[in-house]
Amino acid sequence: MSDIVEYWARFRRDDATGQWTHPDDRAVLAGQHSFNFDYPTCPYLGPVTSAKVVILGANGGYSPTETPKEFPDAEAFERYLGRIRDPEGADWSNVSPYYDRVNYGPLVYRGDAAWINASPYRSPRISAERDNQRLVRSLPSSVFLRRWLLEAVVPLAARGERLVVVKRPGLWRLPPEVRTAPGVLVDPAPISPQLTSAPWNAVQGFLTGRGPAPAAQPPSPQDPPRRSRTAAVVSPVAARRTPRGTETVAAGTAQSQVAPLMRVCEALGLTLLTPDAAWPGYGKVVHLGGARSIYLNRTNADVRSSPSEVAAWQRAGLGTVRPNNDRYLRVML
Protein backbone atom coordinates (compact mmCIF):
# COMPACT_ATOMS: atom_id res chain seq x y z
CA MET A 1 0.00 0.00 0.00
CA SER A 2 2.83 2.42 0.76
CA ASP A 3 4.16 2.22 -2.82
CA ILE A 4 1.84 5.03 -3.85
CA VAL A 5 3.36 7.40 -1.28
CA GLU A 6 6.90 6.47 -2.26
CA TYR A 7 6.05 7.03 -5.93
CA TRP A 8 4.65 10.53 -5.37
CA ALA A 9 7.51 11.49 -3.07
CA ARG A 10 9.45 11.99 -6.33
CA PHE A 11 7.01 14.63 -7.53
CA ARG A 12 8.38 18.18 -7.70
CA ARG A 13 8.57 21.32 -9.81
CA ASP A 14 10.56 20.88 -13.03
CA ASP A 15 13.55 23.24 -12.79
CA ALA A 16 13.70 23.63 -16.58
CA THR A 17 10.06 24.59 -17.14
CA GLY A 18 8.79 25.66 -13.71
CA GLN A 19 5.91 23.22 -14.10
CA TRP A 20 4.64 20.85 -11.41
CA THR A 21 4.96 17.39 -12.99
CA HIS A 22 6.12 13.92 -12.04
CA PRO A 23 9.51 13.07 -13.64
CA ASP A 24 8.06 9.91 -15.21
CA ASP A 25 5.39 11.90 -17.06
CA ARG A 26 7.38 14.72 -18.60
CA ALA A 27 8.06 13.13 -21.97
CA VAL A 28 4.41 12.16 -22.47
CA LEU A 29 3.18 15.57 -21.31
CA ALA A 30 4.93 17.11 -24.30
CA GLY A 31 1.90 15.94 -26.30
CA GLN A 32 -1.30 17.91 -26.94
CA HIS A 33 -3.37 18.64 -23.83
CA SER A 34 -4.82 21.48 -21.75
CA PHE A 35 -3.70 20.48 -18.24
CA ASN A 36 -2.54 23.26 -15.94
CA PHE A 37 0.87 22.76 -14.29
CA ASP A 38 1.12 26.04 -12.36
CA TYR A 39 0.18 24.35 -9.08
CA PRO A 40 1.02 21.01 -7.42
CA THR A 41 -0.89 18.05 -8.73
CA CYS A 42 -3.51 16.15 -6.77
CA PRO A 43 -2.84 12.39 -6.86
CA TYR A 44 -4.86 11.72 -3.71
CA LEU A 45 -6.63 13.20 -0.70
CA GLY A 46 -6.75 11.54 2.70
CA PRO A 47 -4.70 8.85 4.45
CA VAL A 48 -4.34 6.76 1.33
CA THR A 49 -2.64 3.72 2.86
CA SER A 50 -4.99 3.28 5.84
CA ALA A 51 -8.40 4.69 4.83
CA LYS A 52 -11.05 1.97 4.78
CA VAL A 53 -12.92 3.52 1.85
CA VAL A 54 -11.11 4.24 -1.43
CA ILE A 55 -12.93 6.48 -3.92
CA LEU A 56 -11.63 6.54 -7.51
CA GLY A 57 -12.06 9.94 -9.16
CA ALA A 58 -10.99 11.67 -12.35
CA ASN A 59 -8.25 14.29 -11.98
CA GLY A 60 -7.25 17.35 -10.05
CA GLY A 61 -9.59 20.29 -10.52
CA TYR A 62 -8.58 23.71 -11.80
CA SER A 63 -10.26 27.10 -11.75
CA PRO A 64 -8.42 30.24 -12.87
CA THR A 65 -10.11 32.16 -10.06
CA GLU A 66 -10.35 29.63 -7.21
CA THR A 67 -7.16 27.55 -7.52
CA PRO A 68 -4.81 30.52 -6.96
CA LYS A 69 -6.67 31.21 -3.70
CA GLU A 70 -5.64 27.77 -2.43
CA PHE A 71 -1.97 28.61 -3.06
CA PRO A 72 -1.57 32.24 -1.93
CA ASP A 73 2.04 31.86 -0.75
CA ALA A 74 5.03 29.53 -0.43
CA GLU A 75 3.73 28.20 2.89
CA ALA A 76 0.55 26.96 1.19
CA PHE A 77 2.63 25.12 -1.41
CA GLU A 78 4.72 23.43 1.29
CA ARG A 79 1.68 22.51 3.35
CA TYR A 80 0.07 20.90 0.32
CA LEU A 81 3.22 18.97 -0.61
CA GLY A 82 3.58 17.82 2.99
CA ARG A 83 0.19 16.13 2.81
CA ILE A 84 1.19 14.27 -0.35
CA ARG A 85 4.50 13.11 1.12
CA ASP A 86 3.09 12.10 4.53
CA PRO A 87 -0.63 11.41 4.04
CA GLU A 88 -0.96 9.34 7.22
CA GLY A 89 0.39 12.05 9.47
CA ALA A 90 -1.27 14.98 7.69
CA ASP A 91 -4.24 17.08 8.74
CA TRP A 92 -6.85 16.65 5.99
CA SER A 93 -9.55 18.66 7.73
CA ASN A 94 -8.93 21.80 5.67
CA VAL A 95 -8.09 21.11 2.05
CA SER A 96 -10.24 22.87 -0.56
CA PRO A 97 -13.65 24.53 -0.12
CA TYR A 98 -14.87 22.14 -2.83
CA TYR A 99 -14.87 19.26 -0.34
CA ASP A 100 -17.15 21.18 2.02
CA ARG A 101 -19.84 20.85 -0.65
CA VAL A 102 -19.64 17.11 -1.36
CA ASN A 103 -21.14 14.45 0.86
CA TYR A 104 -17.94 12.40 1.18
CA GLY A 105 -15.92 15.42 2.36
CA PRO A 106 -16.28 14.62 6.09
CA LEU A 107 -15.12 11.06 5.44
CA VAL A 108 -11.83 12.40 4.04
CA TYR A 109 -11.53 14.97 6.83
CA ARG A 110 -11.68 12.37 9.57
CA GLY A 111 -9.59 9.74 7.75
CA ASP A 112 -12.30 7.22 6.86
CA ALA A 113 -11.91 7.71 3.10
CA ALA A 114 -9.24 8.57 0.57
CA TRP A 115 -9.93 10.05 -2.86
CA ILE A 116 -7.53 8.93 -5.61
CA ASN A 117 -7.43 10.48 -9.07
CA ALA A 118 -6.86 8.54 -12.29
CA SER A 119 -4.64 11.46 -13.25
CA PRO A 120 -3.33 14.05 -10.81
CA TYR A 121 -3.02 16.86 -13.34
CA ARG A 122 -5.39 19.77 -13.07
CA SER A 123 -8.05 20.84 -15.59
CA PRO A 124 -11.50 22.46 -15.40
CA ARG A 125 -13.63 19.57 -16.69
CA ILE A 126 -11.94 16.46 -18.04
CA SER A 127 -15.23 14.90 -19.16
CA ALA A 128 -15.22 17.49 -21.98
CA GLU A 129 -11.45 17.43 -22.65
CA ARG A 130 -10.77 14.69 -25.19
CA ASP A 131 -7.06 15.42 -25.57
CA ASN A 132 -6.61 15.11 -21.81
CA GLN A 133 -8.60 11.89 -21.70
CA ARG A 134 -6.39 10.37 -24.39
CA LEU A 135 -3.23 11.48 -22.63
CA VAL A 136 -4.26 9.89 -19.34
CA ARG A 137 -4.23 6.47 -21.02
CA SER A 138 -0.48 6.68 -21.63
CA LEU A 139 0.73 8.68 -18.62
CA PRO A 140 3.24 6.58 -16.64
CA SER A 141 1.84 7.93 -13.38
CA SER A 142 -1.69 6.82 -14.35
CA VAL A 143 -0.37 3.40 -15.38
CA PHE A 144 1.34 3.15 -11.99
CA LEU A 145 -1.84 4.14 -10.12
CA ARG A 146 -3.89 1.53 -11.97
CA ARG A 147 -1.35 -1.20 -11.23
CA TRP A 148 -1.18 -0.16 -7.57
CA LEU A 149 -4.96 -0.32 -7.34
CA LEU A 150 -5.16 -3.79 -8.90
CA GLU A 151 -2.24 -5.27 -6.96
CA ALA A 152 -2.58 -3.60 -3.56
CA VAL A 153 -6.15 -2.39 -3.02
CA VAL A 154 -8.43 -4.82 -4.86
CA PRO A 155 -7.07 -7.86 -2.94
CA LEU A 156 -7.80 -6.05 0.34
CA ALA A 157 -11.32 -5.29 -0.89
CA ALA A 158 -11.83 -8.96 -1.71
CA ARG A 159 -10.97 -9.79 1.92
CA GLY A 160 -13.40 -7.19 3.24
CA GLU A 161 -10.66 -4.85 4.47
CA ARG A 162 -11.42 -2.04 2.00
CA LEU A 163 -14.40 -0.75 0.06
CA VAL A 164 -13.64 0.68 -3.38
CA VAL A 165 -16.12 3.13 -4.90
CA VAL A 166 -15.46 3.83 -8.58
CA LYS A 167 -16.63 7.25 -9.75
CA ARG A 168 -14.81 7.33 -13.10
CA PRO A 169 -14.44 3.77 -14.47
CA GLY A 170 -13.69 5.01 -17.99
CA LEU A 171 -10.60 7.00 -17.00
CA TRP A 172 -9.39 4.21 -14.71
CA ARG A 173 -9.87 1.65 -17.51
CA LEU A 174 -10.72 -1.09 -15.07
CA PRO A 175 -11.14 -4.63 -16.40
CA PRO A 176 -14.77 -5.83 -16.35
CA GLU A 177 -14.01 -8.43 -13.70
CA VAL A 178 -12.73 -5.72 -11.35
CA ARG A 179 -15.89 -3.63 -11.68
CA THR A 180 -17.93 -6.53 -10.33
CA ALA A 181 -15.35 -7.88 -7.86
CA PRO A 182 -16.17 -8.26 -4.13
CA GLY A 183 -15.69 -4.99 -2.29
CA VAL A 184 -15.87 -2.88 -5.49
CA LEU A 185 -18.87 -0.70 -6.32
CA VAL A 186 -19.33 1.48 -9.43
CA ASP A 187 -21.33 4.67 -8.90
CA PRO A 188 -24.17 4.79 -11.49
CA ALA A 189 -23.65 8.55 -11.94
CA PRO A 190 -19.91 8.81 -12.57
CA ILE A 191 -19.72 12.53 -13.34
CA SER A 192 -21.87 13.61 -10.40
CA PRO A 193 -19.69 15.32 -7.77
CA GLN A 194 -21.58 13.51 -4.99
CA LEU A 195 -21.63 9.86 -4.03
CA THR A 196 -25.14 8.86 -5.06
CA SER A 197 -27.51 6.97 -2.78
CA ALA A 198 -26.48 3.35 -3.40
CA PRO A 199 -22.71 3.82 -2.94
CA TRP A 200 -23.27 6.28 -0.10
CA ASN A 201 -25.37 3.74 1.79
CA ALA A 202 -22.81 1.02 1.06
CA VAL A 203 -20.04 3.22 2.48
CA GLN A 204 -22.03 3.95 5.63
CA GLY A 205 -22.79 0.27 6.11
CA PHE A 206 -19.17 -0.71 5.58
CA LEU A 207 -17.81 1.85 8.03
CA THR A 208 -20.31 0.92 10.73
CA GLY A 209 -19.85 -2.82 10.27
CA ARG A 210 -23.36 -3.41 8.90
CA GLY A 211 -22.13 -4.87 5.63
CA PRO A 212 -18.76 -6.21 4.41
CA ALA A 213 -19.39 -5.68 0.70
CA PRO A 214 -21.45 -3.31 -1.44
CA ALA A 215 -23.64 -6.15 -2.72
CA ALA A 216 -25.00 -6.52 0.81
CA GLN A 217 -26.28 -2.93 0.82
CA PRO A 218 -29.71 -2.49 -0.81
CA PRO A 219 -30.03 0.69 -2.90
CA SER A 220 -32.07 3.42 -1.26
CA PRO A 221 -33.44 6.73 -2.53
CA GLN A 222 -32.99 8.31 0.90
CA ASP A 223 -30.81 11.36 1.30
CA PRO A 224 -27.34 10.92 2.83
CA PRO A 225 -27.33 11.78 6.54
CA ARG A 226 -26.35 15.33 7.37
CA ARG A 227 -22.71 15.67 8.32
CA SER A 228 -20.61 18.48 9.68
CA ARG A 229 -19.16 20.83 7.06
CA THR A 230 -21.44 19.57 4.27
CA ALA A 231 -25.11 19.64 3.46
CA ALA A 232 -27.38 16.65 2.89
CA VAL A 233 -27.99 16.11 -0.80
CA VAL A 234 -31.37 15.20 -2.26
CA SER A 235 -29.94 14.46 -5.68
CA PRO A 236 -27.12 15.87 -7.81
CA VAL A 237 -29.66 17.85 -9.88
CA ALA A 238 -31.99 19.00 -7.12
CA ALA A 239 -29.04 20.17 -5.02
CA ARG A 240 -28.23 22.84 -7.61
CA ARG A 241 -31.65 23.72 -8.94
CA THR A 242 -33.21 27.16 -9.05
CA PRO A 243 -36.92 27.72 -8.28
CA ARG A 244 -39.07 25.78 -10.70
CA GLY A 245 -39.75 27.43 -14.02
CA THR A 246 -37.47 30.42 -13.41
CA GLU A 247 -34.62 29.39 -15.73
CA THR A 248 -35.02 30.64 -19.29
CA VAL A 249 -32.90 29.75 -22.29
CA ALA A 250 -32.52 32.00 -25.32
CA ALA A 251 -33.27 30.52 -28.74
CA GLY A 252 -30.16 29.41 -30.60
CA THR A 253 -28.11 28.81 -27.45
CA ALA A 254 -25.57 26.02 -27.87
CA GLN A 255 -26.72 22.83 -26.16
CA SER A 256 -23.59 22.78 -23.99
CA GLN A 257 -24.54 26.22 -22.61
CA VAL A 258 -28.03 25.24 -21.45
CA ALA A 259 -27.46 25.04 -17.68
CA PRO A 260 -30.35 22.75 -16.62
CA LEU A 261 -29.60 20.41 -19.52
CA MET A 262 -25.95 20.13 -18.51
CA ARG A 263 -26.83 19.60 -14.83
CA VAL A 264 -28.89 16.55 -15.72
CA CYS A 265 -26.19 15.20 -18.05
CA GLU A 266 -23.47 15.61 -15.42
CA ALA A 267 -25.59 14.01 -12.70
CA LEU A 268 -26.29 10.93 -14.83
CA GLY A 269 -22.85 10.72 -16.44
CA LEU A 270 -24.12 11.47 -19.96
CA THR A 271 -22.61 13.42 -22.86
CA LEU A 272 -24.23 15.49 -25.58
CA LEU A 273 -23.92 14.07 -29.08
CA THR A 274 -23.64 17.55 -30.67
CA PRO A 275 -22.73 19.98 -27.86
CA ASP A 276 -22.19 22.92 -30.23
CA ALA A 277 -25.54 22.50 -31.99
CA ALA A 278 -28.36 24.92 -31.21
CA TRP A 279 -30.72 23.86 -28.46
CA PRO A 280 -34.06 23.03 -30.17
CA GLY A 281 -36.27 24.32 -27.34
CA TYR A 282 -38.36 22.97 -24.50
CA GLY A 283 -39.94 19.59 -25.08
CA LYS A 284 -37.75 18.84 -28.12
CA VAL A 285 -35.33 15.96 -28.41
CA VAL A 286 -31.63 16.43 -27.70
CA HIS A 287 -29.52 13.44 -28.66
CA LEU A 288 -26.98 11.98 -26.22
CA GLY A 289 -24.12 9.54 -26.56
CA GLY A 290 -24.93 5.85 -26.41
CA ALA A 291 -28.21 6.19 -28.38
CA ARG A 292 -29.84 8.02 -25.44
CA SER A 293 -31.86 11.24 -25.62
CA ILE A 294 -33.26 13.91 -23.33
CA TYR A 295 -36.26 16.22 -23.43
CA LEU A 296 -35.92 19.36 -21.32
CA ASN A 297 -39.10 20.89 -19.92
CA ARG A 298 -39.42 23.93 -17.69
CA THR A 299 -39.83 21.94 -14.48
CA ASN A 300 -38.30 18.56 -15.34
CA ALA A 301 -36.25 16.59 -17.82
CA ASP A 302 -37.14 13.20 -19.32
CA VAL A 303 -34.12 11.04 -20.17
CA ARG A 304 -34.64 8.12 -22.58
CA SER A 305 -32.46 5.05 -22.18
CA SER A 306 -32.75 1.29 -21.71
CA PRO A 307 -35.19 0.07 -19.03
CA SER A 308 -32.33 -1.46 -17.05
CA GLU A 309 -30.32 1.78 -16.98
CA VAL A 310 -33.40 3.84 -16.12
CA ALA A 311 -34.17 1.44 -13.26
CA ALA A 312 -30.57 1.72 -11.98
CA TRP A 313 -30.80 5.52 -11.99
CA GLN A 314 -34.01 5.38 -10.00
CA ARG A 315 -32.46 2.99 -7.45
CA ALA A 316 -29.59 5.48 -7.07
CA GLY A 317 -32.06 8.24 -6.23
CA LEU A 318 -31.38 10.23 -9.42
CA GLY A 319 -34.98 10.43 -10.60
CA THR A 320 -38.16 8.38 -11.05
CA VAL A 321 -39.26 6.04 -13.82
CA ARG A 322 -42.21 7.43 -15.73
CA PRO A 323 -45.21 5.27 -14.78
CA ASN A 324 -46.38 4.91 -18.38
CA ASN A 325 -42.99 4.16 -19.95
CA ASP A 326 -40.04 2.38 -18.30
CA ARG A 327 -37.61 3.75 -20.89
CA TYR A 328 -37.80 7.27 -19.41
CA LEU A 329 -36.35 8.71 -16.21
CA ARG A 330 -37.99 11.91 -15.00
CA VAL A 331 -35.60 14.28 -13.24
CA MET A 332 -37.16 17.23 -11.43
CA LEU A 333 -35.41 20.55 -11.93
Side-chain angles (χ1 to χ4, degrees):
M1 289 291 289
S2 63
D3 286 355
I4 189 173
V5 180
E6 294 174 9
Y7 184 86
W8 283 104
R10 298 169 49 216
F11 163 71
R12 58 184 52 84
R13 191 196 295 264
D14 184 353
D15 292 336
T17 64
Q19 297 177 336
W20 289 93
T21 54
H22 193 283
D24 291 356
D25 292 335
R26 288 169 187 167
V28 177
L29 291 173
Q32 184 172 348
H33 63 82
S34 58
F35 288 121
N36 179 278
F37 302 135
D38 295 337
Y39 303 94
T41 59
C42 182
Y44 46 76
L45 293 164
V48 68
T49 66
S50 64
K52 296 300 183 182
V53 176
V54 177
I55 308 171
L56 306 183
N59 70 314
Y62 174 73
S63 163
T65 57
E66 297 304 314
T67 304
K69 296 178 183 178
E70 297 178 29
F71 297 93
D73 50 36
E75 182 181 352
F77 277 80
E78 285 304 313
R79 183 168 58 249
Y80 188 93
L81 293 171
R83 289 171 174 153
I84 301 301
R85 293 165 182 163
D86 181 20
E88 302 305 314
D91 177 9
W92 292 99
S93 63
N94 182 24
V95 282
S96 165
Y98 173 85
Y99 298 97
D100 291 341
R101 302 191 294 269
V102 293
N103 55 1
Y104 60 84
L107 304 182
V108 174
Y109 296 152
R110 63 175 181 251
D112 287 335
W115 177 279
I116 305 173
N117 283 315
S119 170
Y121 299 110
R122 298 176 179 272
S123 68
R125 188 180 169 201
I126 199 168
S127 58
E129 300 159 359
R130 294 186 178 181
D131 288 337
N132 293 349
Q133 293 174 28
R134 283 193 293 268
L135 200 67
V136 168
R137 298 172 190 166
S138 56
L139 277 175
S141 63
S142 295
V143 172
F144 166 82
L145 286 169
R146 189 180 307 110
R147 185 174 67 250
W148 172 82
L149 174 74
L150 297 178
E151 296 178 357
V153 183
V154 172
L156 292 179
R159 297 200 297 267
E161 298 177 26
R162 295 290 189 279
L163 175 61
V164 179
V165 180
V166 187
K167 286 295 292 182
R168 301 302 291 267
L171 279 175
W172 278 89
R173 301 174 63 204
L174 300 181
E177 62 271 18
V178 172
R179 300 187 189 199
T180 58
V184 178
L185 181 64
V186 178
D187 194 310
I191 302 181
S192 168
Q194 310 288 342
L195 294 188
T196 52
S197 296
W200 175 265
N201 290 338
V203 166
Q204 296 301 307
F206 182 78
L207 291 175
T208 58
R210 296 195 306 268
Q217 300 301 315
S220 168
Q222 298 300 316
D223 299 344
R226 187 173 296 272
R227 296 284 177 182
S228 61
R229 304 192 67 183
T230 189
V233 177
V234 176
S235 78
V237 178
R240 292 176 285 167
R241 71 185 179 198
T242 55
R244 285 188 178 184
T246 63
E247 288 186 279
T248 59
V249 182
T253 301
Q255 295 176 9
S256 61
Q257 300 303 309
V258 179
L261 180 66
M262 293 309 301
R263 287 203 302 271
V264 175
C265 288
E266 290 180 1
L268 300 182
L270 303 173
T271 57
L272 298 171
L273 195 62
T274 54
D276 296 328
W279 177 62
Y282 289 107
K284 303 294 180 64
V285 64
V286 172
H287 295 287
L288 306 171
R292 306 176 185 92
S293 57
I294 182 171
Y295 301 79
L296 183 68
N297 306 304
R298 292 188 181 275
T299 60
N300 63 71
D302 288 334
V303 183
R304 187 178 188 276
S305 185
S306 66
S308 60
E309 186 168 47
V310 169
W313 285 333
Q314 177 173 262
R315 289 195 301 270
L318 298 173
T320 57
V321 178
R322 272 180 28 184
N324 59 336
N325 194 326
D326 64 359
R327 294 187 64 87
Y328 285 89
L329 181 83
R330 173 151 292 180
V331 180
M332 302 310 297
L333 302 175

